[in-house]
């Protein structure tokens, strides 16, 4: 064995060995399975920085730990290779996206392999390859057959200069991200997936899964369930009705005007009755240029225009009220029209104040009406100025008024979801072609499954030019109808890459299957995913789409489960020199450099040691050097020959106890993914070992080191393998050894439960050491709370800590 710790010699050697021995291969049919998944990267040209490796290190520790516990572990990796970033990068460089993507994949794969993680590369999936996107197209067809994929005209962002549709993310304060021209709205036919059919299930089933509460909150808000009512207002002397969606039917007596979205169909239908049409038309044009986010900002100055000559009738009291169009009302939410109640809605209040409209108070705190309102009162209360309903509590009035309106035919209950159908078509080149054919006789015809994949044609010029790039390839477009054999044309749009990534976790267990997307037996053997690790930025889109596609395939009988990811863990971001680490900010730490300097085991250890893995952390050059020193010292301890000096029986006992405490701490920390505290425990333990060195019997010493090494193995696998094998380990690899067990008896008095409370209410319990100090208790409890419930440090007023003999209690007093 080398005298000095020399990672440059050790690490490549074991990586080659593991690969040669096939130690990372997952069986097709496991005995006891654990599926550990990372969010796969998209092959960016910038390569990975140390921030990306944080999650991959964490999942690898967990996967290796599970392996040592006797599980068969599936830990796969792949590339999310289609999509805009890849295409834009390729356009910029003037390299074809296929070539550019391949090059980037090679580089990122090299970097990931550097980590020495137990990925089973035999199962790799690359979404831009035909053997994968064939099945993405197959999934599209399943949805199409079920009526869950449909085509509809929809308003999209259109850049008149680049002549292309832009995603919302490409519109920066209503300008095109690339050329800075004003973005317009244009109506185009688009493909959608009907995710709205699953809104309620997507909401309900959040209860079934072990996910961070903040992700659940984000999904709940994104789905946005609102309970309310549809109310119909007639127009005076006209055969039209305006239907509005409201969550506050209790305020209908205070509705003093109506507002339609500028794009509402009725506006054009009313054209000949609108006396100020030219001005109205101008306003409509202008509002088309403003993004939805802009339009709904609370603080934005309200704009709008009255529809002269049009009056609506409030069904509750027959009052005639004016009708406006205004851009704070959105076309795609509710019915695209509202009853405005300025006394109880802030936006309506601002609007009414600006246009001098009537403000009628109908809800008051105490049941007495006040002389003048200075701002909208949005709380519940008692009805006033509301005819026979005055005096009623507003919650009860919601139901009572709707029941009354139901009998008279102008009201009905309605639950509205903010979630919209998923727009999946892109007028772009670098994506999976949508497998649809248009026949003059038969209309929309799906490509037969046995003709998949519809191959993406090789294209030299794929820059967007006003029509989708695929429309320029005649051999691609012109085809025959699979139904009647007549002339037909192919769909020229491609799919959103989120479709590719919505099902990739189903492909890994059977990634080479050419007959089916996956065999059901292999899926039964491996899924659902037991642990899914990735960034919080995917809280809504990707994670919601994946849940949706899983549910659809479950309903179709392809899957035996309807939630894909049993446990989710979010990795925090890495900051460096004060800001988020990124190529564009120029503050990137390249893992290649770090590996050259310290070796990968040090990098791995530091990635974990930096701080709680689910929180943002600052990279520190000193910190990583400290981890390197730890490994050097540990290496010396493991490799030097042990000399027994004077034996101390008491120390021997203490060492044994401390070792068992360490086993428990590391096991619990890995289970809870508190890997930073695990690394601290290793460091403390090493200090203790150095203190007792020579004073304990060699047998005890050796046994202790064996345990220590096994506990370290998932964290620093090359280091552990080197020492294990070079000091005569019996098995082919330390990862074939078992995970150490602790004796409850030995550590009994060392752990007590820490009860975690918020405002006196129990929120959870964790085991902690008897000698835990107040500050550590606070940190541990805070981490726990952040993971389990949404919890912000700012709200903490104080923390009260109590240490008793058999338990400890920490109570956070918070205010909102
Ligand atoms: C009358 C009213 C009175 C309202 C009141 C609120 C307070 P959530 O909870 O987010 O679903 N609304 C409905 N459709 C809209 C649209 N297309 N664009 C903009 N606003 C719209 O919000 C529902 C409320 O948002 C509805 O209830 C409606 O205003 C408004 F004291 O109706 B309300
Ligand atoms: Zn046909």
């Amino acid at each position: 064995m080398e005298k000095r710790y020399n990672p440059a010699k050790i690490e490549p050697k074991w990586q080659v060995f593991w690969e040669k021995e096939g130690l990372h291969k997952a069986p097709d049919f496991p005995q006891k399975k654990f599926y550990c998944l990372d969010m796969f990267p998209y092959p960016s040209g910038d390569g990975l920085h140390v921030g990306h490796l944080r999650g991959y290190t964490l999942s690898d520790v967990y996967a290796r730990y599970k392996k040592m516990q006797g599980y068969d572990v599936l830990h796969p990796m792949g590339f999310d290779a289609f999509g805009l970033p890849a295409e834009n990068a390729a356009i910029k460089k003037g390299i074809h996206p296929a070539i550019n993507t391949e090059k980037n994949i090679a580089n990122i794969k090299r970097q990931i392999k550097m980590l020495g993680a137990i990925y089973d590369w035999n199962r790799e999936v690359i979404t831009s390859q035909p053997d994968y996107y064939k099945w993405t197209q197959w999934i599209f067809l399943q949805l199409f057959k079920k009526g869950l994929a449909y085509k509809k005209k929809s308003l999209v962002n259109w850049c008149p200069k680049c002549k292309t549709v832009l995603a919302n993310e490409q519109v920066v304060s209503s300008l095109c991200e690339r050329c800075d021209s004003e973005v317009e709205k244009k109506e185009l036919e688009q493909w959608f997936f009907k995710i709205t059919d699953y809104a309620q299930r997507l909401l309900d089933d959040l209860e079934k899964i072990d996910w961070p509460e903040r992700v659940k909150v984000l999904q709940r808000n994104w789905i946005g369930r609102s309970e309310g009512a549809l109310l119909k207002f007639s127009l005076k002397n006209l055969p039209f009705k305006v239907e509005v969606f409201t969550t506050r039917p209790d305020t209908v007596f205070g509705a003093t005007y109506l507002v339609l979205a500028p794009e509402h169909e009725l506006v054009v239908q009313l054209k000949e009755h609108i006396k100020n049409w030219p001005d109205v038309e101008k306003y409509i044009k202008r509002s088309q240029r403003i993004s939805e986010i802009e339009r709904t900002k609370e603080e934005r100055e309200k704009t709008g225009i009255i529809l002269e000559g049009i009056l609506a009738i409030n069904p509750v009291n027959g009052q005639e009220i004016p009708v406006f169009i205004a851009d704070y009302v959105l076309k795609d939410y509710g019915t695209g029209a509202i009853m405005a109640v300025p006394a109880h809605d802030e936006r309506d209040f601002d609007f009414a104040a600006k246009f001098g409209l009537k403000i009628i108070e109908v809800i008051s705190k105490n049941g007495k009406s006040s002389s003048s309102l200075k701002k909208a009162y949005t709380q519940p209360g008692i009805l006033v100025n509301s005819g026979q309903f005055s005096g009623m509590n507003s919650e009860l009035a919601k139901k009572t008024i709707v029941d009354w309106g139901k009998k008279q035919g102008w009201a009905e209950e309605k639950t509205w979801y903010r979630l919209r159908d998923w727009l999946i078509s892109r007028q772009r080149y670098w994506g999976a072609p949508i497998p649809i054919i248009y026949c003059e006789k038969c209309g929309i015809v799906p490509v037969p499954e046995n003709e998949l994949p519809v191959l993406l044609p090789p294209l030299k010029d794929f820059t967007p030019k006003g029509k989708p790039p695929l429309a320029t390839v005649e051999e691609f477009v012109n085809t025959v109808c699979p139904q009647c054999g007549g002339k037909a044309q192919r769909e020229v749009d491609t799919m959103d890459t989120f479709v590719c990534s919505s099902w990739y976790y189903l492909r890994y267990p059977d990634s080479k299957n050419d007959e089916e997307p996956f065999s059901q037996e292999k899926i039964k053997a491996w899924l659902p995913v037991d642990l899914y690790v990735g960034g919080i930025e995917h809280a809504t889109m990707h994670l919601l789409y994946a849940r949706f596609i899983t549910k659809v395939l479950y309903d179709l009988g392809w899957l035996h489960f309807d939630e894909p990811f049993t446990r989710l863990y979010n990795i925090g971001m890495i900051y460096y020199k004060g800001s988020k680490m990124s190529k564009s900010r120029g503050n990137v730490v390249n893992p290649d450099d770090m590996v050259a300097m310290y070796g990968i085991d040090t990098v791995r250890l530091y990635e974990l040691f930096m701080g709680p893995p689910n929180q943002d952390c600052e990279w520190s050059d000193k910190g990583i050097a400290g981890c390197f020193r730890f490994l050097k010292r540990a290496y010396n301890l493991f490799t030097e020959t042990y000399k027994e000096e004077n034996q101390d029986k008491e120390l021997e006992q203490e060492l044994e106890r401390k070792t068992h405490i360490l086993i428990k701490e590391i096991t619990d920390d890995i289970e809870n993914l508190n890997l930073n505290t695990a690394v601290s425990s290793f460091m403390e333990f090493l200090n203790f070992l150095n203190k007792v060195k020579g004073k304990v019997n060699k047998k005890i010493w050796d046994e202790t080191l064996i345990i220590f090494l096994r506990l370290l193995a998932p964290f620093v696998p090359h280091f552990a393998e080197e020492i294990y094998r070079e000091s005569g380990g019996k098995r082919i690899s330390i990862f074939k050894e078992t995970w150490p067990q602790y004796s409850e008896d030995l550590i009994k008095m060392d752990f007590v439960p820490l009860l975690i409370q918020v405002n006196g209410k129990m929120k959870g319990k964790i085991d902690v050491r008897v000698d835990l100090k107040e500050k550590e208790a606070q940190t541990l409890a805070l981490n726990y709370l952040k993971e389990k419930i949404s919890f912000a440090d700012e709200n903490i007023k104080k923390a009260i800590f109590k240490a008793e003999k058999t338990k400890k209690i920490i109570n956070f007093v918070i205010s909102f």
Side-chain angles (χ1 to χ4, degrees):
M1 208 169 335
E2 295 268 334
K3 267 238 151 58
R4 279 180 43 245
Y5 176 47
N6 185 358
K9 271 216 162 144
I10 296 174
E11 290 172 355
K13 177 171 81 188
W14 294 113
Q15 290 189 3
V16 169
F17 175 79
W18 292 331
E19 184 150 356
K20 202 182 89 223
E21 295 295 328
L23 282 171
H24 305 337
K25 271 198 192 132
D28 283 342
F29 296 99
Q31 303 262 308
K32 197 166 132 196
K33 70 108 180 175
F34 194 88
Y35 188 172
C36 181
L37 182 67
D38 290 293
M39 291 185 184
F40 63 167
Y42 83 86
S44 125
D46 298 341
L48 303 180
H49 61 60
V50 291
H52 300 110
L53 293 185
R54 201 172 173 206
Y56 303 154
T57 308
L58 174 127
S59 62
D60 191 52
V61 171
Y62 204 87
R64 286 179 182 275
Y65 157 74
K66 281 285 161 189
K67 211 161 197 182
M68 291 176 81
Q69 282 192 330
Y71 286 82
D72 289 315
V73 174
L74 174 59
H75 190 39
M77 191 38 99
F79 294 92
D80 190 10
F82 264 146
L84 262 188
E87 184 174 318
N88 283 345
I91 292 174
K92 221 162 146 188
K93 284 190 172 171
I95 308 177
H96 194 278
I99 297 170
N100 197 41
T101 303
E102 201 182 301
K103 205 182 95 219
N104 293 345
I105 286 179
N107 181 44
I108 294 184
K109 205 162 155 177
R110 178 191 62 78
Q111 286 185 306
I112 295 179
K113 282 194 166 180
M114 212 160 65
L115 197 63
I118 60 170
Y119 293 119
D120 182 354
W121 287 101
N122 293 303
R123 297 171 177 276
E124 180 184 40
V125 304
I126 297 177
T127 59
S128 61
Q129 289 182 350
D131 64 349
Y132 182 84
Y133 71 68
K134 171 179 179 178
W135 302 112
T136 307
Q137 293 173 335
W138 178 89
I139 286 190
F140 176 94
L141 292 178
Q142 308 314 305
L143 273 90
F144 181 80
K145 277 189 228 153
K146 272 277 274 191
L148 291 170
Y150 68 94
K151 217 177 174 189
K152 168 183 101 175
K153 271 213 164 130
S154 115
L155 275 183
V156 292
N157 302 309
W158 178 260
C159 172
K161 188 154 169 244
C162 302
K163 295 197 172 44
T164 183
V165 171
L166 301 175
N168 282 336
E169 297 77 24
Q170 295 174 288
V171 183
V172 182
S173 45
S174 67
L175 301 179
C176 169
E177 174 190 64
R178 279 197 246 135
C179 73
D180 282 344
S181 9
E182 282 268 347
V183 171
E184 293 170 2
K185 292 270 174 184
K186 200 171 164 174
E187 274 224 314
L188 283 181
E189 289 256 324
Q190 301 283 334
W191 282 98
F192 290 86
F193 282 171
K194 226 178 194 168
I195 191 172
T196 51
D197 272 13
Y198 284 74
Q200 191 58 47
R201 276 166 74 187
L202 289 167
L203 207 55
D204 291 341
D205 291 351
L206 285 173
E207 305 310 321
K208 297 206 280 209
I209 46 185
D210 178 13
W211 284 23
E213 187 58 26
R214 61 176 175 161
V215 177
K216 291 189 181 180
V217 168
L218 285 167
Q219 292 216 346
R220 280 189 204 113
N221 291 342
W222 188 266
I223 297 167
R225 183 188 154 111
S226 281
E227 277 171 61
L230 292 175
L231 308 183
K232 281 197 195 99
F233 288 68
S234 331
L235 295 185
K236 189 184 175 188
N237 300 331
L238 290 172
F240 295 104
K241 286 198 158 128
V242 178
E243 201 170 25
V244 306
F245 171 68
T246 177
T247 46
R248 297 293 306 273
D250 53 316
T251 64
V252 59
F253 283 85
T256 54
Y257 58 96
L258 298 186
V259 188
L260 308 182
E263 307 88 347
H264 198 290
E265 296 104 12
L266 199 58
V267 180
V268 183
Q269 289 168 18
L270 290 171
K271 184 172 164 182
E272 55 181 304
H273 307 286
I274 298 174
K275 299 216 175 88
N276 55 340
W277 178 254
D279 289 339
V280 169
E281 197 175 19
K282 250 187 242 155
Y283 183 81
I284 296 173
K285 282 243 163 73
R286 201 174 58 162
S287 58
Q288 279 173 0
R289 271 187 255 117
I290 306 171
S291 76
E292 214 165 88
I293 303 168
E294 199 66 31
R295 281 170 62 164
T296 46
K297 274 188 188 151
E298 290 278 339
E299 66 280 6
R300 184 167 162 263
E301 162 106 32
K302 298 284 168 296
T303 67
I305 183 167
I306 192 165
L307 304 183
E308 281 174 19
I310 310 289
L311 284 173
I313 296 162
N314 190 334
V316 292
N317 53 18
Q319 293 216 336
E320 293 176 3
I321 57 177
V323 180
F324 285 78
I325 59 171
D327 64 12
Y328 76 93
V329 174
L330 303 176
K331 175 174 186 281
D332 291 336
Y333 191 67
T335 60
I338 65 159
M339 67 171 191
V341 185
H344 304 293
D345 181 278
E346 278 157 19
R347 291 176 303 173
D348 298 346
F349 187 92
D350 293 347
F351 191 87
K354 181 167 168 182
F355 289 88
L357 298 161
K358 255 205 227 157
I359 300 177
I360 301 177
E361 182 187 32
V362 291
I363 310 283
S364 96
K365 207 172 186 166
N366 51 15
K368 293 192 200 94
S369 47
S370 45
S371 49
S372 75
L373 281 172
K374 294 214 173 47
K375 61 181 182 91
Y377 175 74
T378 58
Q379 303 295 311
I382 309 290
L383 269 65
V384 295
N385 303 322
S386 299
Q388 67 268 44
F389 302 98
S390 295
M392 192 182 277
N393 148 320
S394 57
E395 276 314 304
L396 179 61
K398 279 184 184 169
K399 191 177 177 314
T400 318
I401 290 181
V402 172
D403 284 345
W404 179 57
K406 250 168 134 171
K407 280 194 208 112
Q408 300 183 5
W410 52 264
E412 63 183 272
E413 283 122 5
K414 175 83 185 169
T415 301
W416 179 260
Y417 298 89
R418 174 163 275 122
L419 183 70
R420 304 201 194 150
D421 278 341
W422 174 11
L423 196 170
I424 59 121
S425 46
R426 297 287 180 272
Q427 292 69 44
R428 288 300 206 127
Y429 174 63
W430 194 234
I434 294 176
I436 286 289
I437 289 171
Y438 300 99
C439 167
E440 278 155 34
K441 267 199 249 143
C442 317
I444 299 185
V445 183
V447 173
E449 283 180 20
N450 60 10
E451 286 175 25
L452 295 181
V454 177
L455 286 173
L456 187 65
L459 244 191
K460 277 229 176 66
D461 184 5
F462 46 84
T463 50
K465 289 201 185 53
K467 57 177 176 176
L470 292 186
T472 64
V473 193
E474 275 176 30
E475 314 83 87
F476 177 81
V477 177
N478 296 321
T479 183
V480 290
C481 170
Q483 260 170 40
C484 72
K487 263 207 204 153
Q489 262 104 45
R490 282 193 194 281
E491 171 63 68
V492 291
D493 285 356
T494 54
M495 279 186 254
D496 179 8
T497 36
F498 279 115
V499 181
C500 309
S501 58
S502 68
W503 75 280
Y504 75 105
Y505 48 91
L506 301 174
R507 183 69 175 165
Y508 286 126
D510 199 12
S511 64
K512 304 223 164 55
N513 194 334
D514 212 24
E515 306 289 307
E516 295 172 302
F518 42 78
S519 97
Q520 293 196 31
E521 295 84 74
K522 288 186 188 168
I523 286 283
K524 276 223 175 82
W526 279 113
L527 272 112
V529 171
D530 296 286
L531 174 65
Y532 194 23
V533 178
I536 183 86
E537 69 276 14
H538 292 298
T540 47
M541 316 246 268
H542 163 60
L543 287 171
L544 203 61
Y545 297 151
R547 295 180 62 218
F548 162 61
I549 292 294
T550 296
K551 288 184 191 302
V552 172
L553 293 175
Y554 169 82
D555 289 350
L556 289 170
W558 277 87
L559 303 176
H560 62 287
F561 56 94
D562 66 352
E563 280 295 336
F565 314 123
T566 306
R567 181 180 181 192
L568 173 75
Y569 191 81
N570 289 126
I571 291 289
M573 263 168 327
I574 292 191
Y575 280 66
Y576 190 44
K577 300 187 172 146
S579 55
K580 201 177 120 186
M581 194 179 279
S582 78
K583 184 97 173 183
S584 60
R585 288 191 182 82
N587 63 342
V588 161
V589 176
N590 188 328
D592 297 67
D593 299 340
M594 292 297 113
V595 170
M597 200 140 56
Y598 300 114
I600 192 66
D601 280 335
T602 296
V603 176
R604 290 173 60 111
L605 205 62
Y606 182 58
E607 294 271 0
L608 303 169
F609 184 54
M610 291 179 80
N614 56 2
Q615 285 167 41
D616 296 346
C617 288
E618 174 86 19
W619 181 272
S620 134
D621 300 321
K622 263 200 200 134
I624 189 167
C627 287
F628 183 58
R629 270 198 310 278
F630 164 76
L631 283 183
K632 267 197 312 201
R633 288 176 57 218
Y635 187 87
N636 292 341
L637 196 81
F638 279 111
T639 52
E640 69 201 5
T641 29
Y642 189 71
K643 284 195 288 290
E644 255 180 55
E645 290 153 20
N646 42 351
Q647 239 171 282
D648 179 335
K649 273 272 165 286
E650 244 169 57
L651 264 189
E652 278 174 1
Q653 267 172 17
E654 198 183 342
L655 177 62
E656 194 179 18
R657 237 168 35 84
K658 282 230 154 102
T659 309
H660 282 250
I661 290 172
L662 183 74
I663 299 172
K664 175 164 168 60
E665 279 181 335
I666 301 300
T667 310
D668 288 357
D669 281 347
I670 295 181
E671 282 298 339
N672 300 319
L673 295 166
N674 285 328
L675 301 186
N676 56 321
T677 50
V679 178
S680 317
S681 303
F682 285 139
M683 293 175 169
E684 268 176 47
F685 192 72
L686 179 69
N687 288 339
F688 182 72
L689 285 179
N690 274 316
K691 222 173 75 189
V692 304
K693 193 168 72 185
K695 296 183 196 127
V696 300
N697 152 314
K698 179 160 185 332
K699 189 165 163 273
I700 293 181
W701 179 257
D702 285 347
E703 280 168 7
T704 305
L705 288 198
I706 286 172
I707 291 172
F708 188 32
L709 191 67
R710 284 190 202 171
L711 295 176
L712 275 169
F715 295 77
V716 286
H718 313 82
F719 175 98
E721 192 78 292
E722 169 78 8
I723 292 168
Y724 177 78
R725 291 296 306 265
E726 292 295 322
S727 60
K730 297 234 167 24
R731 297 168 192 255
I732 185 161
S733 161
I734 189 168
F735 297 98
K736 298 272 179 192
E737 291 285 357
T738 53
W739 188 250
Q741 302 286 314
Y742 57 87
S743 137
E744 293 278 359
D745 283 345
L746 268 173
I747 62 168
K748 217 189 269 151
M749 282 321 293
D750 291 279
F751 284 89
V752 290
L754 170 68
L755 311 183
I756 302 170
Q757 305 179 337
V758 175
N759 287 345
K761 276 211 196 81
M762 264 294 277
K763 294 289 171 188
K765 182 182 99 170
I766 47 181
D767 280 350
V768 295
R769 286 168 64 160
V770 154
D771 56 355
L772 187 83
K773 297 281 170 324
E774 174 162 3
K775 248 192 111 194
E776 298 164 303
Q778 264 191 36
T779 317
L780 282 177
L782 272 178
N783 287 349
Y784 178 89
L785 287 172
K786 279 183 188 155
E787 185 66 20
K788 299 285 171 195
I789 61 175
S790 304
F791 196 78
D793 297 12
E794 305 90 80
N795 297 331
I796 301 174
K797 277 217 176 127
K798 63 177 172 184
I800 304 161
F801 181 69
K802 253 202 310 203
E804 296 170 7
K805 236 201 176 127
T806 55
K807 62 174 187 277
K808 291 173 195 288
I809 303 167
I810 186 143
N811 181 20
F812 293 102
V813 180
I814 62 170
S815 64
F816 296 101

